[in-house]
Amino acid sequence: MVRRVAVIGAGVGGLASIKCCLDEGLEPTCFERSEDIGGLWRYTDSMDCGRVSVYRSVITNTSKEMSCFSDFPCPEDFPSYLPHGLLLEYFRMYAQHFNLLRHIRFKTTAVSVRRCPDFATSGQWEVVTETDGIRESHVFDAVMVCTGHYQEPYLPLASFPGINTCFKGQYLHSKEYKDMETFRGKRVLVVGIGNTGGDLSVELSRVAAKVFLSARTSTWVFSRVSDHGFPLDMINTTRFNHFLDWLLPSALTRRIRFQKFNSWFNHANYGLASTKSSSFKVIINEELPFCLLSGTVVLKPNVKEFTENSAIFEDGTIEENIDVVLFATGYIFSFPFLEESVRSLIDNNHSLYKCVFPPQLERPTLAIIGLVQLTGSVMVGTEMQARWVTGVFAGWNKLPPTSRMIADVLKKKPPVKRNPSERENLKMSFISYTDEIASCAGVKPNMLRLLLTDPRLALAIFFGPCTPYQYRLVGRGKWSGARNAILTQWQRTLKPLRTRVVDDSSSGSSSWCWMCLLALPVVLTAGFLLSKNPRPGWSLQVGPQL
């Protein structure tokens, strides 16, 4: 019987894990190496202890309604997209509301996590921690690793000949970037066109003499502001759209998707992407197209090599007098505190059962939380993982036999091994994965039953945004405020915009009622078909991530 649980890290995953442990009557102890909560979302000017943190200007890519904890909505006066300071404030409110801080030991580093000699029967772990130079050993019944996947910068210098032998300028990883002032008046080359590369290129264009952005893959650019000014993820991430993706032929959905991508601007004209692209990524950036249009950012292909002060690109073009090369090439994860025999079982999240449990362990008492790539908010997926895991620890949820878990892992493993810089390209569908874990935890909403008992709520769930409150309607951890949170999510989205009220007498309430009535057969059909033939979990990235 699991009782004492070690939680490593007090970021999003750590806070959710502590709370879920308490919900299940477990005794969590969280070890956080820094002096505060928040993980990478706690911005600091300094590079303290090598800790990864966001840059000063960062704003979330997923909206507050799609990213909040499932039983604790963001304050209605918070904007839809949160600067890091407001997000950290929300974390503090969550920790205070559920009294989580008393379970956290700050400035305490997990030095080693090893299986006890009798692990095969007890499932226990020996955890060695260090505080102010003093080491202490503990024994826990289970361990939840919540350090995420933004741990070690991925800096592929070997792929760029001359960068560390010939190039006389400065080069650095985006981990070291805090603000734009140190780049004023310089010619900067940004390598990598993920969300970070796009953000930094736009920001640097305001002060740098020139910014070049090197991309090697097709990239589609989305705005956070979607149809009628609503947040992108609240419009796109719906069960109705998910059903259409499942129902329609893949060639047709791909064509529709590309048309949607190009509805804002023609990406081929900007050199970003073509509809003939076999692989692609999606980034969120409202300003990048204008920067390209105005010439403050110049898009370039992949770098072939560097000379003393220039960059030679694969198309043969050369850019001279480069002062700084900024690598926005992502991160790799590592768990140096885990014993080698266990660490070798976690080469990536594709070797974990449901991206959480190492299936080869004799006892399921080690869980990796937050090591998942989703097309929506990782924060929501992380909380769902924690709910499922603590249910397993408490004995409410059961795992299948080892052979079945390994077979499931092999079935879902990507066909091609990708390097760390390419792992953003292949993500899991947010709704598919979250529903899958919710089913394991017994908290997935039943659409057919809801349609019969509460049709208004069922229609809001099916056609509206797939907000996390949906997973608090049934099962363990059911929250009495979930229904109201779903039905009022649009009001909370619009509330911070009501700082100047204008007269708008138009009303679409009657047309909405008719649409809901006509939609009833669709909901019934979708609920039945999806219950019989669930959609596979892997998909290309089509949406933002927090």
Side-chain angles (χ1 to χ4, degrees):
M1 177 66 182
V2 170
R3 177 60 59 185
R4 300 184 66 239
V5 180
V7 178
I8 301 176
V12 175
L15 293 176
S17 295
I18 297 170
K19 197 262 186 182
C20 292
C21 282
L22 296 174
D23 288 345
E24 294 293 351
L26 306 176
E27 300 172 6
T29 301
C30 178
F31 302 106
E32 168 56 44
R33 66 176 179 174
S34 71
E35 71 278 5
D36 204 352
I37 64 171
L40 67 90
W41 286 101
R42 183 171 64 85
Y43 170 80
T44 55
D45 289 315
S46 61
M47 299 286 294
D48 55 327
C49 302
R51 188 180 69 86
V52 176
S53 77
V54 294
Y55 38 95
R56 187 190 301 274
S57 61
V58 78
I59 295 176
T60 60
N61 282 337
T62 49
S63 63
K64 66 177 183 180
E65 292 298 315
M66 299 293 287
S67 308
C68 62
F69 294 107
S70 58
D71 56 354
F72 193 75
C74 276
E76 63 176 10
D77 58 337
F78 274 29
S80 284
Y81 293 103
L82 304 178
H84 60 80
L86 276 183
L87 186 60
L88 184 60
E89 182 180 339
Y90 170 67
F91 292 160
R92 296 194 196 286
M93 295 166 62
Y94 179 78
Q96 181 178 1
H97 180 79
F98 293 107
N99 200 16
L100 306 182
L101 295 180
R102 64 190 180 94
H103 300 279
I104 305 175
R105 292 182 54 177
F106 293 106
K107 296 185 178 180
T108 302
T109 302
V111 177
S112 74
V113 176
R114 307 181 65 86
R115 286 176 286 186
C116 289
D118 62 345
F119 178 82
T121 55
S122 70
Q124 291 183 323
W125 298 83
E126 181 188 9
V127 179
V128 177
T129 61
E130 183 174 314
T131 308
D132 296 328
I134 300 175
R135 294 200 171 189
E136 187 178 358
S137 180
H138 323 257
V139 174
F140 286 95
D141 299 316
V143 176
M144 301 175 75
V145 178
C146 306
T147 52
H149 54 254
Y150 296 102
Q151 298 174 29
E152 300 292 335
Y154 176 63
L155 197 59
L157 299 182
S159 300
F160 300 95
I163 184 66
N164 54 1
T165 56
C166 300
F167 186 62
K168 301 299 183 183
Q170 177 189 8
Y171 69 85
L172 68 158
H173 189 271
S174 58
K175 173 189 174 182
E176 302 174 60
Y177 181 92
K178 293 300 178 181
D179 58 46
M180 58 187 173
E181 285 305 316
T182 56
F183 299 86
R184 185 174 293 277
K186 297 182 178 181
R187 289 169 61 85
V188 182
L189 169 62
V190 178
V191 177
I193 194 174
N195 284 315
T196 299
D199 282 352
L200 299 189
S201 297
V202 168
E203 182 164 296
L204 290 172
S205 70
R206 301 186 181 107
V207 298
K210 198 71 173 181
V211 175
F212 303 96
L213 176 58
S214 172
R216 68 176 182 178
T217 59
S218 288
T219 303
W220 300 91
V221 183
F222 266 51
S223 169
R224 294 175 181 87
V225 184
S226 187
D227 302 342
H228 306 291
F230 289 112
L232 172 67
D233 52 357
M234 294 188 73
I235 297 296
N236 282 359
T237 310
T238 69
R239 293 185 180 276
F240 176 67
N241 288 341
H242 179 68
F243 172 65
L244 290 180
D245 283 345
W246 176 88
L247 180 67
L248 299 176
S250 58
L252 179 58
T253 57
R254 183 181 178 89
R255 183 175 180 180
I256 294 172
R257 188 170 294 151
F258 283 150
Q259 288 180 344
K260 178 68 174 177
F261 290 168
N262 273 328
S263 63
W264 184 21
F265 67 95
N266 189 312
H267 285 65
N269 290 343
Y270 286 67
L272 284 163
S274 165
T275 55
K276 298 179 180 179
S277 304
S278 58
S279 63
F280 59 89
K281 66 169 68 172
V282 174
I283 67 171
I284 308 298
N285 199 304
E286 299 78 28
E287 299 178 74
L288 182 59
F290 177 72
C291 287
L292 295 173
L293 198 62
S294 63
T296 54
V297 175
V298 177
L299 193 65
K300 303 292 292 185
N302 193 40
V303 178
K304 181 181 179 181
E305 63 178 311
F306 288 93
T307 63
E308 284 192 4
N309 62 357
S310 63
I312 303 174
F313 298 90
E314 288 183 347
D315 62 353
T317 58
I318 302 175
E319 294 297 342
E320 304 280 355
N321 302 317
I322 300 296
D323 298 304
V324 182
V325 178
L326 180 58
F327 287 95
T329 46
Y331 293 82
I332 57 177
F333 59 85
S334 62
F335 306 103
F337 47 83
L338 287 178
E339 62 177 283
E340 175 57 33
S341 60
V342 175
R343 194 163 64 241
S344 63
L345 303 176
I346 316 172
D347 59 340
N348 55 58
N349 64 339
H350 309 318
S351 62
L352 301 172
Y353 179 64
K354 308 296 185 187
C355 300
V356 176
F357 288 103
Q360 298 90 342
L361 291 179
E362 302 97 320
R363 298 286 179 178
T365 55
L366 173 68
I368 311 299
I369 303 296
L371 192 66
V372 62
Q373 305 270 334
L374 299 177
T375 58
S377 172
V378 173
M379 189 167 148
V380 176
T382 294
E383 184 197 23
M384 184 57 65
Q385 289 178 336
R387 292 178 66 188
W388 174 45
V389 166
T390 52
V392 171
F393 290 167
W396 297 105
N397 302 322
K398 303 296 182 182
L399 296 181
T402 299
S403 59
R404 281 180 54 193
M405 289 193 288
I406 293 177
D408 183 79
V409 168
L410 294 175
K411 177 183 176 182
K412 296 179 179 178
K413 207 160 192 175
V416 179
K417 186 172 182 178
R418 298 166 179 264
N419 66 47
S421 66
E422 293 177 319
R423 62 187 180 145
E424 288 291 326
N425 296 344
L426 190 63
K427 294 192 171 188
M428 286 182 287
S429 160
F430 170 78
I431 294 180
S432 291
Y433 180 77
T434 313
D435 271 0
E436 184 177 6
I437 302 302
S439 294
C440 294
V443 298
K444 179 185 173 183
N446 185 311
M447 291 300 302
L448 293 178
R449 183 175 300 167
L450 275 176
L451 192 60
L452 296 174
T453 59
D454 195 340
R456 181 189 177 196
L457 180 62
L459 291 171
I461 289 176
F462 187 74
F463 289 103
C466 186
T467 45
Y469 322 119
Q470 296 185 11
Y471 301 103
R472 290 285 181 177
L473 291 169
V474 295
R476 292 184 63 78
K478 178 180 177 181
W479 174 44
S480 60
R483 182 182 188 276
N484 183 64
I486 294 170
L487 297 178
T488 58
Q489 56 201 6
W490 290 110
Q491 288 93 310
R492 286 191 302 279
T493 300
L494 294 175
K495 178 63 163 45
L497 299 175
R498 304 299 193 192
T499 54
R500 179 176 178 267
V501 180
V502 295
D503 180 30
D504 184 10
S505 56
S506 62
S507 173
S509 58
S510 59
S511 60
W512 169 250
C513 291
W514 279 109
M515 187 178 74
C516 288
L517 289 174
L518 293 172
L520 286 173
V522 179
V523 180
L524 283 168
T525 304
F528 175 76
L529 291 176
L530 287 176
S531 65
K532 298 297 182 183
N533 301 286
R535 174 186 172 148
W538 295 99
S539 73
L540 284 169
Q541 177 184 0
V542 294
Q545 173 188 358
L546 178 63

